[in-house]
Amino acid sequence: MQQVATYEAVVAAIHKLNEDEQKITADNILRITGGAKGTVLQHLRAYREQGAAPAIPTEIPEDFQGAVMRLIGQAQAEARRELEDRMLQALASEMDALDALVAAESRIEALSSELATAQAQADADRQAAKEAAAGTAKQIEGLEKNIEGLRIERKQLIEAGEAARTEAAKAQLQVERADAAAQKAETQLADLRDKLPAAEKAAAVAEQHARDLEAALAKSEARTQDLEGRLDEMRRINSELEKSLAAAQAPKKTEPKARPAAKKKEKSQ
């Protein structure tokens, strides 16, 4: 804690400087009393305003004192005004310096307060930034997990789309086979010709669904289920067509009365 220079301490220091024949200045007093220079200047100004004259050391020899007093008496008339002017100028300079020092100390205190406030705000900002960074890191971690989940889902949707396209290709092949078989048995399976457009329409719908799955993977599962339902229907239709074709291509049975008629003809011959 900085020492405070009292008025009594400043006066004692002035006496000490007079005894040591040193110049009375704020810096010389400050070396003795310590404390703040502004306080020392205030006490020095008050001391000079009270008109205190420098004390003559009591330990100086009498012959030296007499010589000094004679010299002072001879020069007193000529130097009084000059001395007073210099003292007034020095006092004005010291007062200006005191005012500047007081203002500087006030500014220092204000800056210290501002610095403390700024440091407190900086600490608060650092804490807030730290918390914000932690929150951002947590959000980034969550987003990374979501992205990974979306990648897995996308892969699954792509695989589902590929499977749907494969099923559609198989369905198209089955339709083509059914169409070829229907053409061969057109004369015998006239009733099946009405069913073939429905099967072709189902195949076209299945192919359209496969293209839609490639464009919109997010809806592939629902469309795949719909496609599987249509494929089941086409399989059922194809199975019916194959059964009908097999029935149409099977050899017809001969009538049981054909042979007796032939034998009777032979006898007549």
Side-chain angles (χ1 to χ4, degrees):
M1 185 174 184
Q2 189 177 17
Q3 182 180 355
V4 178
T6 63
Y7 178 79
E8 292 75 10
V10 170
V11 173
I14 292 173
H15 293 167
K16 174 65 174 172
L17 292 172
N18 285 328
E19 292 176 1
D20 295 341
E21 297 182 359
Q22 295 183 12
K23 189 176 181 180
I24 308 299
T25 62
D27 291 333
N28 290 338
I29 295 172
L30 189 62
R31 282 196 295 269
I32 298 174
T33 62
K37 189 173 182 179
T39 303
V40 171
L41 286 172
Q42 288 179 348
H43 294 330
L44 180 59
R45 182 178 62 181
Y47 178 78
R48 287 180 174 175
E49 288 176 351
Q50 292 177 4
I56 299 175
T58 57
E59 297 180 359
I60 299 176
E62 292 181 0
D63 55 350
F64 183 75
Q65 291 183 14
V68 170
M69 293 303 295
R70 285 192 299 272
L71 290 174
I72 291 175
Q74 293 173 0
Q76 186 174 9
E78 295 82 1
R80 182 180 299 277
R81 181 175 296 177
E82 182 181 356
L83 179 60
E84 289 178 353
D85 292 341
R86 290 181 180 180
M87 288 181 66
L88 289 174
Q89 291 176 2
L91 180 60
S93 298
E94 288 185 359
M95 290 182 68
D96 291 340
L98 174 61
D99 293 339
L101 182 60
V102 171
E105 289 179 347
S106 299
R107 181 59 177 166
I108 290 172
E109 291 178 359
L111 291 175
S112 299
S113 178
E114 292 178 4
L115 179 60
T117 302
Q119 288 177 345
Q121 184 63 40
D123 293 339
D125 292 342
R126 281 194 295 270
Q127 183 64 26
K130 184 178 180 181
E131 293 176 356
T136 302
K138 189 174 181 180
Q139 290 179 356
I140 291 173
E141 183 179 357
L143 289 174
E144 289 177 347
K145 291 182 179 179
N146 291 337
I147 291 171
E148 184 63 24
L150 291 174
R151 287 175 179 172
I152 295 173
E153 183 178 357
R154 179 178 180 276
K155 182 179 179 181
Q156 292 175 349
L157 291 173
I158 292 174
E159 292 175 353
E162 293 293 337
R165 283 193 292 272
T166 301
E167 292 296 329
K170 290 180 180 179
Q172 181 64 30
L173 180 60
Q174 291 177 355
V175 170
E176 291 175 356
R177 290 176 179 176
D179 188 31
Q183 289 178 359
K184 291 180 181 180
E186 184 177 0
T187 56
Q188 299 176 1
L189 303 174
D191 58 328
L192 295 177
R193 289 179 180 177
D194 294 334
K195 297 180 180 179
L196 284 175
E200 291 175 353
K201 183 178 179 180
V205 171
E207 184 177 0
Q208 181 62 37
H209 277 290
R211 287 195 297 268
D212 292 341
L213 283 171
E214 185 176 4
L217 292 176
K219 299 179 180 180
S220 63
E221 184 176 356
R223 293 184 180 180
T224 301
Q225 292 177 356
D226 181 67
L227 182 61
E228 289 177 353
R230 294 180 181 275
L231 289 176
D232 290 339
E233 179 65 18
M234 285 188 290
R235 291 192 186 97
R236 184 185 65 77
I237 293 173
N238 186 57
S239 178
E240 292 179 358
L241 290 174
E242 289 178 353
K243 289 180 181 180
S244 299
L245 182 61
Q249 292 178 350
K252 294 183 179 181
K253 295 181 179 181
T254 58
E255 297 181 358
K257 294 182 179 181
R259 289 183 179 180
K263 290 181 179 181
K264 185 176 181 181
K265 186 177 180 181
E266 290 177 356
K267 288 180 179 183
S268 63
Q269 290 177 355

